[in-house]
Amino acid sequence: SQHSPLDKSCFMSRNDIDHQIKELLPRLRRFAYWLTRDVHEADDLVQSALVRALTKWSMRREEASLKSWLFTILYRQFLADKRRKARYWGLLSKFKHEEAEYWPSAEDEVATQGMLAAFNHLSQEQRGLLLLIVIEGFSYQEAAIMLDVPIGTVMSRLSRARKAMHHLCEGNVPRTTL
């Protein structure tokens, strides 16, 4: 026959059950804290275990120890919660973008603007060469073929372009002549 936890005809009286559960609460909380390492999660775990115990009271064997039954429920609830959290975070990670959004600092913005301004002061020839080699990643040989100049010319022009960028980034802006 099924018994409710409040049924007086149950093996133990309602007062006995209440008293035993109250005595077990500190031990259940300590065990839950040991499992979760967080006071709030431990309290939630104890509460959910007690709710589960009360809803499954009719399935409890009367000869079984209330203490071991409650500790078993608490531990199984902990494992179920842990699996549920792992599935939840696993699903969330599938929606996460591979590259986190990057918001540059004001300092990075100023440095970038300075580099772009310096780049604009270079000759068209120097800008083109820097774009081909530094940005697009072509080799000196490939750039020489594209520009139809000897590889030594590419190397010397690139060296001058890098020196000019360095001077311009340091604030040495050439004066324009009229």
Side-chain angles (χ1 to χ4, degrees):
S1 74
Q2 292 185 357
H3 301 288
S4 103
L6 305 177
D7 188 1
K8 297 221 187 237
S9 65
C10 193
F11 183 70
M12 294 190 293
S13 74
R14 178 180 173 181
N15 287 338
D16 289 341
I17 294 168
D18 288 347
H19 179 72
Q20 281 189 4
I21 290 174
K22 283 180 186 174
E23 283 184 356
L24 288 172
L25 273 176
R27 295 175 74 185
L28 288 167
R29 287 188 75 230
R30 184 174 49 241
F31 183 59
Y33 178 74
W34 182 84
L35 293 171
T36 63
R37 300 288 191 216
D38 181 85
V39 174
H40 303 293
E41 282 186 47
D43 286 341
D44 291 344
L45 180 59
V46 169
Q47 181 178 358
S48 62
L50 288 175
V51 167
R52 185 156 181 82
L54 290 174
T55 59
K56 302 291 183 182
W57 193 265
S58 63
M59 300 173 79
R60 179 179 171 266
R61 294 189 322 258
E62 291 183 10
E63 68 276 359
S65 160
L66 179 64
K67 177 177 127 184
S68 63
W69 188 63
L70 289 175
F71 273 78
T72 300
I73 290 173
L74 187 136
Y75 184 68
R76 288 182 179 161
Q77 187 70 41
F78 167 74
L79 293 177
D81 289 349
K82 194 173 174 183
R83 283 190 299 271
R84 188 178 309 112
K85 285 178 185 175
R87 280 193 309 269
Y88 174 77
W89 288 111
L91 283 173
L92 276 184
S93 70
K94 294 191 187 305
F95 293 107
K96 186 181 97 176
H97 296 290
E98 287 302 315
E99 293 181 24
E101 289 187 26
Y102 173 74
W103 296 99
S105 68
E107 185 177 276
D108 290 342
E109 276 293 316
V110 169
T112 302
Q113 292 300 323
M115 289 282 275
L116 288 174
F119 187 74
N120 284 330
H121 278 93
L122 294 175
S123 71
Q124 185 177 6
E125 184 180 83
Q126 290 174 325
R127 281 196 309 262
L129 191 56
L130 280 172
L131 286 171
L132 286 174
I133 294 175
V134 177
I135 305 298
E136 297 300 330
F138 288 106
S139 70
Y140 293 172
Q141 183 65 43
E142 292 168 322
I145 292 168
M146 281 186 250
L147 299 173
D148 194 28
V149 294
I151 193 168
T153 304
V154 168
M155 293 170 68
S156 63
R157 286 180 184 173
L158 185 60
S159 176
R160 286 193 300 272
R162 286 181 170 154
K163 282 182 185 175
M165 272 296 287
H166 180 72
H167 287 288
L168 290 168
C169 286
E170 301 243 332
N172 303 326
V173 179
R175 292 193 177 141
T176 56
T177 56
L178 296 175

